[in-house]
């Protein structure tokens, strides 16, 4: 089986979908942000604050190379900017979780831990800037994806069933 890579904007639910997928299918999941935080032994927020975005993107590229070389049969959830790594398509089948910005924002602010969800995301500190970033990225996510799944107003169980129908495990 090829790896499955979940891409999409911050807050769209890549992590929740990955956790549900592990429940429904015989698959192990890893997350690129978790890998980066372990490698660096500090949070993404700290990495951005201390060393800036370029430094973070360089680590993403390093993780991408390792994934391509060493990871098989795995579900990989990613940070919202990971889709830009040069070798993305070589890592596995790319699944884009798609939803309009307003729905994503609503999903975050309605979450019981909304404040911490926003705080830990350096690129979601200002709603207008986040919306602009979303508008820039949206066509690029679609373009690079092998499969696009619309997730608006769907529960995770349904989303995972749709992914499993479209992607062979
Ligand atoms: C980023 C998204 C974040 C994290 C970092 C940068 C982005 O992950 O990788 O803050 O560029 O969109 P989530 O998509 O899990 O929030």
């Amino acid at each position: 089986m090829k790896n499955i890579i979940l891409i999409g904007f911050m807050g769209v639910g890549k992590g929740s979908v990955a956790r549900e997928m592990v429940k429904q299918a015989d698959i192990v999941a890893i997350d690129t942000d978790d890998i980066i935080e372990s490698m660096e032994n500090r949070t993404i927020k700290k990495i951005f604050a201390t060393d800036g975005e370029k430094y973070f993107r360089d680590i993403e590229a390093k993780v991408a190379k390792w994934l391509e070389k060493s990871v098989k049969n795995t579900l990989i959830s990613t940070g919202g900017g990971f889709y830009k790594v040069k070798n993305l398509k070589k890592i596995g089948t790319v699944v884009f979780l798609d939803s309009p910005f307003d729905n994503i924002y609503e999903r975050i602010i309605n979450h019981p831990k909304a404040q911490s969800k926003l705080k830990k995301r350096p690129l979601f500190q200002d709603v207008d800037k986040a919306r602009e970033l979303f508008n820039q990225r949206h066509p690029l996510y679609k373009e690079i994806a092998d499969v696009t799944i619309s997730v608006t107003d769907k529960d995770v169980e349904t989303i995972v069933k749709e992914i499993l129908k479209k992607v062979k495990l």
Side-chain angles (χ1 to χ4, degrees):
M1 168 205 140
K2 273 169 95 177
N3 295 312
I4 298 173
I5 312 160
L6 298 179
I7 64 163
F9 201 67
M10 293 174 272
V12 76
K14 292 164 292 195
S16 317
V17 168
R19 284 186 288 278
E20 176 61 25
M21 190 115 161
V22 169
K23 274 197 209 160
Q24 286 192 34
D26 183 20
I27 194 168
V28 167
I30 56 177
D31 179 272
T32 59
D33 280 347
D34 289 347
I35 295 168
I36 291 170
E37 290 191 339
S38 320
M39 283 164 73
E40 290 279 312
N41 193 26
R42 52 187 176 149
T43 61
I44 304 283
K45 188 180 167 193
K46 263 261 158 66
I47 298 172
F48 267 74
T50 312
D51 293 298
E53 184 171 348
K54 163 88 173 64
Y55 180 91
F56 175 76
R57 300 299 173 203
D58 288 345
I59 313 174
E60 284 191 318
K62 192 169 160 186
V63 169
K65 281 186 193 145
W66 170 75
L67 290 170
E68 180 188 342
K69 198 166 153 239
S70 310
V71 174
K72 306 249 157 1
N73 309 319
T74 299
L75 173 64
I76 303 162
S77 57
T78 63
F82 192 85
Y83 75 103
K84 279 193 275 191
V85 298
K86 288 197 187 99
N87 60 334
L88 187 76
K89 303 282 269 191
K90 288 190 184 152
I91 300 171
T93 305
V94 181
V95 176
F96 169 40
L97 303 183
D98 189 16
S99 189
F101 181 81
D102 288 333
N103 294 77
I104 293 176
Y105 187 54
E106 230 169 78
R107 184 176 179 275
I108 297 181
I109 56 173
N110 288 330
H111 195 279
K113 289 186 188 152
Q115 281 319 309
S116 77
K117 293 229 160 237
L118 284 171
K119 255 198 196 152
K120 70 172 195 180
R121 295 183 158 111
L123 300 180
F124 218 128
Q125 296 311 297
D126 177 301
V127 187
D128 293 330
K129 282 195 185 140
R131 188 190 296 276
E132 209 178 295
L133 189 61
F134 176 92
N135 289 337
Q136 266 172 33
R137 284 180 179 176
H138 191 262
L140 306 173
Y141 286 134
K142 280 206 98 149
E143 194 178 290
I144 202 153
D146 297 301
V147 173
T148 294
I149 305 277
S150 166
V151 301
T152 311
D153 296 330
K154 287 180 191 159
D155 53 37
V156 277
E157 290 84 358
T158 311
I159 297 166
V160 167
K161 287 201 174 82
E162 279 186 34
I163 296 174
L164 292 172
K165 249 190 237 165
K166 292 196 177 168
V167 180
K168 221 179 90 216
L169 283 194

